[in-house]
Amino acid sequence: MNDLQKVLDGRWATVRDDVRAQLGELRLNPDQPTEAYRADVAEAMKQLAASKRPHQGFDPAYGGGGDVGGVVTAFQMLGHGDLSLLVKAGVQWGLFGGALQNLGTARHHDRYLRDTMDGTLLGCFAMTESGHGSDVQHLRTTATYDPAAQEFVIDTPEPGARKDYIGGAARDARMAAVFAQLVTRGTSHGVHCFLVPIRSEAGDPLPGVTITDCGPKAGLNGVDNGRLVFDGVRVPREALLDRYADVAEDGTYSSAIENETRRFFTMLGTLVRGRISVAGGAGTATQKALTLAIRYGATRRQFANPATGEEVVVLDYLAHQRKLLPALATTYALHFAQEDLVGRMHDLQKFDTPAEGSLAGPRTDTADEQLQRDLETRAAGIKAIGTWHATATIQACREAAGGAGYLAENLLPQLKADTDVFTTFEGDNTVLLQLVAKTLLSDYAKRVGRLDLLGKVRFAADLVGGEVAERTGARSVLLRGDVRDRAHQRRLLLAREEHLLASLARRMRAALKPGVDQFAIFNAAQDHLLEAARAHVDRIVFDAFADAVDRAPATVRGLLEHVLELHGLAVLENRRAWFVEHGYLTGGSSKALASGVNELCAALRPHARELVDGFGIPEMWLACPLLDGEQVTTQPPAEEAPADLTAVG
Amino acid sequence: MNDLQKVLDGRWATVRDDVRAQLGELRLNPDQPTEAYRADVAEAMKQLAASKRPHQGFDPAYGGGGDVGGVVTAFQMLGHGDLSLLVKAGVQWGLFGGALQNLGTARHHDRYLRDTMDGTLLGCFAMTESGHGSDVQHLRTTATYDPAAQEFVIDTPEPGARKDYIGGAARDARMAAVFAQLVTRGTSHGVHCFLVPIRSEAGDPLPGVTITDCGPKAGLNGVDNGRLVFDGVRVPREALLDRYADVAEDGTYSSAIENETRRFFTMLGTLVRGRISVAGGAGTATQKALTLAIRYGATRRQFANPATGEEVVVLDYLAHQRKLLPALATTYALHFAQEDLVGRMHDLQKFDTPAEGSLAGPRTDTADEQLQRDLETRAAGIKAIGTWHATATIQACREAAGGAGYLAENLLPQLKADTDVFTTFEGDNTVLLQLVAKTLLSDYAKRVGRLDLLGKVRFAADLVGGEVAERTGARSVLLRGDVRDRAHQRRLLLAREEHLLASLARRMRAALKPGVDQFAIFNAAQDHLLEAARAHVDRIVFDAFADAVDRAPATVRGLLEHVLELHGLAVLENRRAWFVEHGYLTGGSSKALASGVNELCAALRPHARELVDGFGIPEMWLACPLLDGEQVTTQPPAEEAPADLTAVG
């Protein structure tokens, strides 16, 4: 193992090594009929369960390991192997198991938690509906309490209320965690989660449950996504996961959280692990694509150097380096941002030693509320930026491998197809960035609100001053500096973040006036809002990478400094128009970004292989004809040389 | 048909209507086992052949229609239907038929042309090798002349010389147009094309020919891509397609084009139709994706407007408009650029009335050489920019359709997977843009070379003046203007094109000095080179669209003016950093680009449906569950309303 891998493996290095060892021999074949692939993935799920690795994420009181960060790390590692297995495991232990653990109470844990961990109870997570994907608060499935029978009646009241894209629903799941509008005594109390059996042991749909198959998808065809329609399906009162709300036998509704919207988002917040896991899976898939493309690029030759007559290794071309190396640097940055995110989640969600009669489940007392909120914002932002980065980078890797990259045997098509939906599920990226921006805005308003009179005057002056500086270009004097210097890069990223947020806050203030068309104001600023969110994420990702570089051992710190520098340059280069427009960069400094990227590409080119080796992907999972060139010499093997080769002369 | 469609259908409107009518009922299913899909595509090929449509592109002397532009237009239209069929047809009639028509002479035409048109002789185009894809001039397959037997002996001398990714090779082709280094009397004369039978009538590989299957691909699985290895395969002397060179019985080589490289590129140039066809196919596939995403976006609702309580149509969100509408505008621009390109090819390649004994084949006399060169440059540039636009836009459409866009039933995954390789085949886009830039550079050198002394002094002064203007920002004064004005947009695009080319020429001059490392100089400027090519293509695409707008009837001209304006703004916005860095835009004008795009998005939103309807895609080829929402009312049909709906109230 090289030193880079030690740094990248980080806090859960032993978990990573365990997964590499346990799954080293497992390689699924996605290029087979759907049902066969699904069966292989289901079988692999049993192996995962048998490894007891998924148990690590659950409550120790029920035989779990209580290692939330470790289990997410292990999940991510599946992205180096098979993404259908990753998603299938995520559904079972992350989403279904997570809902059970975090929204349920002892009555559910006692009955279902061990079987869920063991995979003897297979579940699915029935939240999304055909008509409501992003806006799940307004989904339409109903759970109406019938006090006479002490049962909830689950219904799909309209076609758009059909549960859709539900992983595990089409083939394997026996039980669904169904999100539905809870109605009791004629009043709706918003979305709650219910455990609803959907299939018999034998696998037949239960009465009132109509299950259909979503059919073939762009990728992830080892996952059996399906649709669920409920027609008067009755479940006992106890099927309600009642950690945050309950319905008494007589139908009385009670909850410690009075506000319906706040209650809904509190429940959702406990499920943040799913979003974090998707970001992690996108990261490992990207690492695998880059490893394939960079190793191929380092052996593939095309076009002769006219001076030497020797064909040039394609990774020596600047254009090829530019396709892959800045993306590699950003993949490093996102890796460390993800490690940081997983660590924060772990520290926040760790299980208390369960006292008798205490709530089993992650600790989320009031003191942690701000931390939880920060975690959710970070998770949303890193998921959005990380999955878009995955889509763009895997595409670049496919193109960098040319025609060979289009063949299934060379693994890139599957990586591309499987990860494509990551930008959509566990929160559409555009919607997630809006969430990030809204949180930033509300934090900003609180900050401003806490200022005393003098502070408010200063703040207003700063805003005006900012506009003046923008008009006169004075900022470029204030902030002139070397764009390759880390401290300067960070100043620029922070300035962008703060500027975008402050100017957004000013625009949004107009929406507070009575009588205005709030939607129109919000909508006109939507691109501004998204850019503000992105600027925030860019800065926290940069910080996470910088912190990791500072912690790295001296043997690799110098190299990582360069990777950080390239990442910073690439982010700034992408957004350089904004910096110049707003007076933070001169035209000359802006041009220096491009030449800086070029120079860093040249400097890192000799380390490209070492950098991808740092991801520690087992060779077994990389082996494909694309990499055969690493073994080929320029001469054909003697036995294949055609007899008349001499005649060619 | 709306008036927009009339404008878009253009010069070959009747061909487009014919294809719509002929193929209206044909809809292939890509989601079936590979062999079954291949068989369906092969069957559809027979229908195409029976329609006599492919015949239209061939020499009238052999029963063809001589309508090169029409046949390419018809080919493109298949992109609204099935892309495997499009590629399969392209291989048979465009690549194999094209090589036969354009590189062969009467001896080949007499024997094979009718069968090729009829599809009773199925061919493939064996150019690319595993080791040489972009640099086909240096492919390694050999065709060694044996004067004793008066035969060429075709050999694969090393593993990298294996013919790879050859469409039609794995299953259907009986004959291959094989590109190989012609060796006679111990001397190699460079790459030539040979007709080599590869399979018996019964479908078995012929002796010495080893055929393997490339296996599953990311997409286009209805095309049977395969690999060919030749071991001493003998073909008669007449198998050489001898339009540009011949080998006499005694092995004497002769060609009217002495220079080997020039000969090679002349041969390649006659095959430009393939590249143009790919650009066209990318265009129609993009149109289909946009039609699906925009029609879905115009009915899909998500999140309520707080003021009205009504859920907002997603296409009313600015962020959604920004994902789709600028891409739609650029798709319009590329459509007209493609129409212009096809027209130029048609006018250049049209068949002369065949005089007795004349060369059958497209006219390419010396007077047309510059036109041919221009055509090749345009084709390369538009292919590169158009296929990248397709990849990015179809991806945006998939994301804009959310989870539904990930399901195969909604067609977007197939469009995405099928078109992915378009950026790679018929010339890797990066390599093509380099070709464009090199041609521009050499034309530029000629222009400068033709200047008299005064002209040269002025030219030098202009270069220096340019640098001064750049440093002082004086250009922004010269070129200050309304970025939404068409004439100003064009001035900016032209200024960028000329500036990038002039500065590139200056850098490249250094490479002419003796003793320098030419490759290093070239490589350091590679990103500059690619950007110069892109700037050129951006300008010619803009011009083609502008010309089309001016020709459009008054009923739609106003609308098209707006689409052109949005296209111009979007291109400028994407490249605005460059304009500001180089003093062509002030920070304020640069910001005005973003607000201009936003305003145009809002202005075109009400016309979005009309604009995609203009593409005239038969409903049969669009029908999918994604568009079912267009028929759905907000109330469920009575028979599906659950019995207890009132209880929910």
Side-chain angles (χ1 to χ4, degrees):
Chain A
M1 191 201 302
N2 69 28
D3 282 353
L4 275 177
Q5 189 182 325
K6 274 187 211 153
V7 176
L8 286 155
D9 276 3
R11 183 168 168 184
W12 283 278
T14 53
V15 170
R16 292 182 196 267
D17 269 342
D18 280 1
V19 177
R20 288 182 186 118
Q22 282 168 13
L23 295 179
E25 294 306 307
L26 181 76
R27 185 158 158 183
L28 299 169
N29 170 26
D31 286 308
Q32 54 178 331
T34 298
E35 285 311 314
Y37 185 28
R38 286 176 173 182
D40 284 357
V41 170
E43 190 55 39
M45 286 284 288
K46 289 185 190 158
Q47 291 183 44
L48 280 190
S51 77
K52 302 275 178 195
R53 172 58 58 201
H55 298 62
Q56 296 304 311
F58 291 92
D59 190 345
Y62 292 85
D67 181 9
V68 177
V71 83
V72 168
T73 302
F75 168 87
Q76 290 171 191
M77 290 296 287
L78 296 177
H80 288 160
D82 185 278
L83 289 155
S84 281
L85 179 58
L86 173 143
V87 169
K88 187 90 174 162
V91 167
Q92 170 67 17
W93 293 296
L95 295 178
F96 177 75
L100 177 63
Q101 173 79 71
N102 296 316
L103 300 178
T105 57
R107 70 187 188 203
H108 309 104
H109 300 159
D110 290 345
R111 191 156 168 200
Y112 299 120
L113 210 49
R114 286 174 199 274
D115 287 349
T116 298
M117 288 189 268
D118 292 343
T120 49
L121 171 64
L122 292 175
C124 64
F125 185 80
M127 178 182 272
T128 298
E129 297 178 356
S130 304
H132 288 84
S134 293
D135 186 9
V136 281
Q137 194 181 0
H138 296 101
L139 54 79
R140 301 280 168 88
T141 300
T142 52
T144 310
Y145 186 63
D146 172 359
Q150 297 199 20
E151 289 173 337
F152 285 100
V153 187
I154 314 290
D155 277 299
T156 302
E158 59 175 66
R162 175 183 72 173
K163 295 293 177 185
D164 209 345
Y165 322 114
I166 310 302
R171 181 185 184 272
D172 293 327
R174 297 298 186 259
M175 182 175 274
V178 175
F179 290 80
Q181 303 287 350
L182 187 158
V183 180
T184 179
R185 297 185 165 180
T187 303
S188 175
H189 295 273
V191 174
H192 293 68
C193 185
F194 302 83
L195 292 180
V196 183
I198 58 168
R199 269 196 187 81
S200 67
E201 282 289 319
D204 303 313
L206 292 177
V209 181
T210 306
I211 306 180
T212 47
D213 197 315
C214 288
K217 305 183 295 290
L220 296 178
N221 282 305
V223 183
D224 53 320
N225 293 81
R227 293 163 177 146
L228 300 171
V229 171
F230 300 100
D231 180 9
V233 174
R234 289 182 166 263
V235 291
R237 189 179 64 93
E238 294 78 13
L240 169 66
L241 295 178
D242 61 340
R243 180 162 167 206
Y244 291 103
D246 203 3
V247 170
E249 292 183 3
D250 67 352
T252 309
Y253 179 84
S254 62
S255 169
I257 308 172
E258 210 146 316
N259 180 285
E260 188 179 308
T261 295
R262 200 171 146 246
R263 184 166 61 233
F264 174 71
F265 284 106
T266 302
M267 290 188 204
L268 276 199
T270 66
L271 306 176
V272 69
R273 198 194 298 184
R275 202 161 276 170
I276 293 173
S277 299
V278 168
T284 47
T286 308
Q287 292 168 5
K288 184 171 173 181
L290 280 168
T291 302
L292 291 166
I294 284 175
R295 283 173 58 169
Y296 177 66
T299 56
R300 172 77 175 176
R301 292 170 181 272
Q302 204 74 179
F303 293 109
N305 179 331
T308 64
E310 203 182 331
E311 293 188 319
V312 179
V313 173
V314 295
L315 196 54
D316 288 340
Y317 288 108
L318 173 63
H320 210 78
Q321 292 166 6
R322 269 196 161 264
K323 275 180 199 162
L324 299 176
L325 300 186
L328 174 62
T330 294
T331 304
Y332 260 70
L334 286 164
H335 175 92
F336 291 113
Q338 176 72 12
E339 174 91 354
D340 170 74
L341 182 65
V342 171
R344 286 169 193 261
M345 177 191 64
H346 180 84
D347 296 339
L348 189 65
Q349 291 200 343
K350 65 172 178 280
F351 291 84
D352 292 318
T353 314
E356 205 177 323
S358 77
L359 277 183
R363 188 187 68 192
T364 50
D365 48 58
T366 326
D368 287 338
E369 265 180 21
Q370 184 58 39
L371 285 174
Q372 171 69 25
R373 184 182 154 90
D374 286 350
L375 179 71
E376 288 170 30
T377 306
R378 275 174 185 267
I382 290 173
K383 187 272 182 185
I385 300 305
T387 55
W388 267 328
H389 173 72
T391 297
T393 302
I394 297 171
Q395 178 67 32
C397 290
R398 199 301 287 160
E399 292 182 28
Y406 196 61
L407 301 186
E409 65 181 22
N410 290 323
L411 309 180
L412 290 163
Q414 198 64 41
L415 283 167
K416 201 166 107 71
D418 286 345
T419 54
D420 184 21
V421 79
F422 285 22
T423 57
T424 298
F425 71 13
E426 283 290 327
D428 174 88
N429 283 357
T430 301
V431 176
L432 290 181
L433 286 186
Q434 278 176 210
L435 283 180
V436 170
K438 284 177 182 169
T439 307
L440 295 176
L441 271 178
S442 110
D443 287 352
Y444 183 84
K446 276 186 219 154
R447 258 197 287 158
V448 175
R450 274 196 301 269
L451 294 173
D452 59 12
L453 183 64
L454 183 61
K456 284 202 167 84
V457 170
R458 278 192 187 135
F459 180 76
D462 189 48
L463 281 184
V464 175
E467 283 186 359
V468 172
E470 192 172 319
R471 276 200 303 277
T472 59
R475 263 194 205 111
S476 60
V477 178
L478 283 171
L479 286 170
R480 190 164 290 157
D482 179 0
V483 290
R484 295 183 51 174
D485 174 65
R486 187 214 282 194
H488 188 56
Q489 290 187 348
R490 190 186 188 271
R491 269 198 300 275
L492 287 169
L493 292 175
L494 188 64
R496 172 167 157 249
E497 178 184 6
E498 293 189 341
H499 183 118
L500 281 164
L501 186 58
S503 51
L504 181 65
R506 257 177 291 158
R507 288 179 77 170
M508 289 296 116
R509 230 181 287 158
L512 300 178
K513 289 179 192 147
V516 298
D517 181 348
Q518 287 192 332
F519 175 75
I521 291 170
F522 162 83
N523 203 32
Q526 202 182 11
D527 55 342
H528 189 161
L529 192 89
L530 296 172
E531 193 62 18
R534 182 179 278 273
H536 172 72
V537 182
D538 284 345
R539 199 264 307 155
I540 64 173
V541 168
F542 184 89
D543 282 353
F545 191 8
D547 288 349
V549 172
D550 291 340
R551 288 193 313 266
T555 49
V556 292
R557 202 182 306 132
L559 177 56
L560 285 173
E561 285 279 7
H562 282 306
V563 179
L564 172 62
E565 188 181 341
L566 177 55
H567 167 69
L569 284 168
V571 171
L572 293 170
E573 190 192 24
N574 268 330
R575 290 299 188 259
R576 69 192 200 279
W578 185 90
F579 286 105
V580 180
E581 284 168 0
H582 294 82
Y584 289 104
L585 280 180
T586 61
S589 310
S590 178
K591 285 191 209 172
L593 292 168
S595 46
V597 168
N598 290 354
E599 287 164 28
L600 261 290
C601 280
L604 288 173
R605 162 67 184 94
H607 302 282
R609 174 66 192 261
E610 182 185 354
L611 287 166
V612 294
D613 283 351
F615 298 135
I617 306 175
E619 283 296 316
M620 163 75 190
W621 291 357
L622 292 168
C624 64
L626 194 73
L627 300 189
D628 287 351
E630 293 179 343
Q631 276 79 50
V632 166
T633 61
T634 48
Q635 293 301 317
E639 70 275 15
E640 288 187 31
D644 63 344
L645 196 61
T646 49
V648 180
Chain B
M1 191 200 303
N2 67 29
D3 282 352
L4 275 177
Q5 189 182 325
K6 274 187 212 154
V7 176
L8 286 155
D9 275 3
R11 183 167 167 185
W12 283 277
T14 53
V15 171
R16 292 182 196 267
D17 269 342
D18 280 1
V19 176
R20 288 181 186 119
Q22 281 168 14
L23 294 180
E25 294 306 308
L26 181 75
R27 185 156 158 184
L28 299 169
N29 171 25
D31 286 308
Q32 53 178 332
T34 297
E35 286 311 316
Y37 185 28
R38 287 176 173 181
D40 284 357
V41 170
E43 190 55 39
M45 285 285 288
K46 289 185 190 158
Q47 291 183 44
L48 281 190
S51 78
K52 303 276 178 193
R53 173 58 57 201
H55 299 62
Q56 295 304 311
F58 290 92
D59 191 345
Y62 292 86
D67 181 9
V68 177
V71 83
V72 167
T73 302
F75 169 88
Q76 290 171 190
M77 291 296 287
L78 296 177
H80 287 161
D82 184 278
L83 289 155
S84 281
L85 179 58
L86 173 143
V87 170
K88 187 91 174 160
V91 167
Q92 169 67 17
W93 292 296
L95 295 178
F96 177 74
L100 177 62
Q101 173 79 71
N102 296 316
L103 300 178
T105 56
R107 71 187 188 203
H108 309 104
H109 301 159
D110 289 346
R111 191 158 169 200
Y112 299 119
L113 210 49
R114 286 174 199 275
D115 287 349
T116 299
M117 288 189 267
D118 292 343
T120 49
L121 171 62
L122 292 175
C124 63
F125 185 79
M127 179 183 270
T128 299
E129 297 178 358
S130 304
H132 289 84
S134 293
D135 186 8
V136 281
Q137 196 181 359
H138 295 100
L139 53 80
R140 301 280 170 88
T141 300
T142 53
T144 310
Y145 186 62
D146 172 0
Q150 296 198 22
E151 289 173 336
F152 285 100
V153 187
I154 313 290
D155 277 298
T156 303
E158 58 174 68
R162 176 183 72 175
K163 295 293 176 185
D164 209 347
Y165 322 114
I166 311 302
R171 180 185 185 272
D172 292 328
R174 296 298 185 260
M175 181 176 275
V178 175
F179 288 80
Q181 303 289 349
L182 187 158
V183 180
T184 180
R185 297 184 165 180
T187 303
S188 175
H189 295 273
V191 174
H192 292 68
C193 186
F194 302 82
L195 292 181
V196 183
I198 58 169
R199 270 197 187 81
S200 67
E201 282 289 319
D204 302 312
L206 293 177
V209 181
T210 305
I211 306 179
T212 47
D213 197 316
C214 289
K217 305 182 295 291
L220 296 178
N221 281 304
V223 183
D224 52 322
N225 294 81
R227 293 163 178 146
L228 300 172
V229 171
F230 300 101
D231 182 8
V233 174
R234 289 181 167 265
V235 290
R237 189 179 65 93
E238 294 77 13
L240 170 66
L241 294 178
D242 61 340
R243 178 162 170 207
Y244 291 103
D246 203 3
V247 170
E249 292 185 2
D250 67 351
T252 309
Y253 179 84
S254 62
S255 170
I257 307 173
E258 210 147 315
N259 180 284
E260 187 178 309
T261 296
R262 200 172 147 247
R263 185 166 59 234
F264 174 71
F265 284 106
T266 301
M267 290 189 204
L268 276 199
T270 66
L271 306 176
V272 68
R273 198 194 298 183
R275 202 161 275 168
I276 293 173
S277 300
V278 167
T284 46
T286 308
Q287 292 168 4
K288 184 171 173 181
L290 280 168
T291 302
L292 291 166
I294 285 175
R295 284 173 58 169
Y296 177 65
T299 55
R300 172 78 175 175
R301 293 171 181 269
Q302 204 75 178
F303 293 110
N305 179 332
T308 64
E310 202 181 331
E311 292 187 319
V312 179
V313 173
V314 295
L315 196 55
D316 288 339
Y317 289 108
L318 173 63
H320 211 77
Q321 292 167 3
R322 269 197 161 263
K323 274 180 200 163
L324 299 176
L325 300 186
L328 175 62
T330 294
T331 303
Y332 261 69
L334 285 164
H335 175 92
F336 291 113
Q338 176 72 13
E339 174 91 353
D340 170 73
L341 182 65
V342 171
R344 286 169 192 261
M345 178 190 64
H346 180 84
D347 296 337
L348 188 64
Q349 291 199 344
K350 64 171 178 280
F351 291 83
D352 292 319
T353 312
E356 206 176 324
S358 76
L359 276 183
R363 188 187 67 192
T364 52
D365 49 58
T366 326
D368 287 340
E369 265 180 24
Q370 184 59 39
L371 285 174
Q372 172 69 23
R373 185 181 153 91
D374 285 351
L375 180 71
E376 288 171 31
T377 305
R378 276 174 183 267
I382 290 174
K383 187 273 184 184
I385 300 305
T387 55
W388 268 327
H389 173 72
T391 297
T393 302
I394 299 171
Q395 178 67 31
C397 291
R398 199 300 286 159
E399 293 183 28
Y406 196 62
L407 301 186
E409 66 181 21
N410 290 324
L411 310 180
L412 290 164
Q414 198 64 39
L415 284 167
K416 201 166 108 73
D418 286 344
T419 54
D420 183 22
V421 79
F422 285 21
T423 57
T424 297
F425 71 11
E426 283 290 326
D428 174 88
N429 282 358
T430 301
V431 176
L432 290 182
L433 285 186
Q434 278 175 211
L435 283 180
V436 171
K438 284 176 181 170
T439 307
L440 295 176
L441 271 177
S442 111
D443 288 351
Y444 183 83
K446 277 185 221 155
R447 255 197 289 160
V448 174
R450 275 196 300 268
L451 293 174
D452 59 11
L453 184 63
L454 184 61
K456 283 199 168 87
V457 170
R458 277 191 187 135
F459 180 76
D462 189 48
L463 281 184
V464 175
E467 283 187 359
V468 172
E470 191 172 321
R471 276 200 304 275
T472 59
R475 264 194 205 111
S476 60
V477 178
L478 283 172
L479 286 170
R480 189 164 289 157
D482 180 359
V483 290
R484 295 184 50 174
D485 174 65
R486 187 215 282 194
H488 188 56
Q489 290 187 349
R490 190 184 188 270
R491 270 198 300 276
L492 288 169
L493 291 175
L494 187 64
R496 172 168 157 249
E497 178 184 8
E498 293 188 341
H499 183 118
L500 281 164
L501 187 58
S503 52
L504 181 65
R506 257 176 291 160
R507 288 180 76 170
M508 288 295 117
R509 232 182 286 158
L512 300 178
K513 290 179 192 146
V516 298
D517 182 347
Q518 287 192 333
F519 175 76
I521 291 170
F522 163 82
N523 202 33
Q526 202 181 10
D527 55 343
H528 189 161
L529 192 89
L530 296 173
E531 194 62 18
R534 182 181 279 274
H536 171 72
V537 182
D538 284 345
R539 199 263 308 155
I540 63 173
V541 169
F542 184 88
D543 282 352
F545 191 8
D547 289 348
V549 171
D550 290 340
R551 288 192 313 266
T555 49
V556 292
R557 201 182 306 132
L559 177 56
L560 285 173
E561 286 279 6
H562 282 306
V563 179
L564 172 63
E565 187 182 341
L566 177 55
H567 167 69
L569 285 168
V571 171
L572 293 170
E573 190 192 23
N574 269 330
R575 290 298 187 261
R576 70 194 200 278
W578 185 91
F579 287 104
V580 180
E581 284 168 0
H582 294 82
Y584 289 105
L585 281 181
T586 61
S589 309
S590 178
K591 285 191 207 171
L593 292 168
S595 46
V597 169
N598 290 354
E599 286 164 30
L600 260 291
C601 280
L604 288 174
R605 162 66 184 95
H607 302 280
R609 174 66 193 261
E610 183 185 354
L611 287 167
V612 295
D613 283 351
F615 298 135
I617 306 174
E619 283 296 316
M620 162 76 191
W621 292 356
L622 293 168
C624 64
L626 194 72
L627 300 189
D628 288 351
E630 294 180 342
Q631 277 80 49
V632 166
T633 61
T634 48
Q635 293 302 315
E639 70 277 16
E640 288 186 31
D644 63 345
L645 195 62
T646 48
V648 180

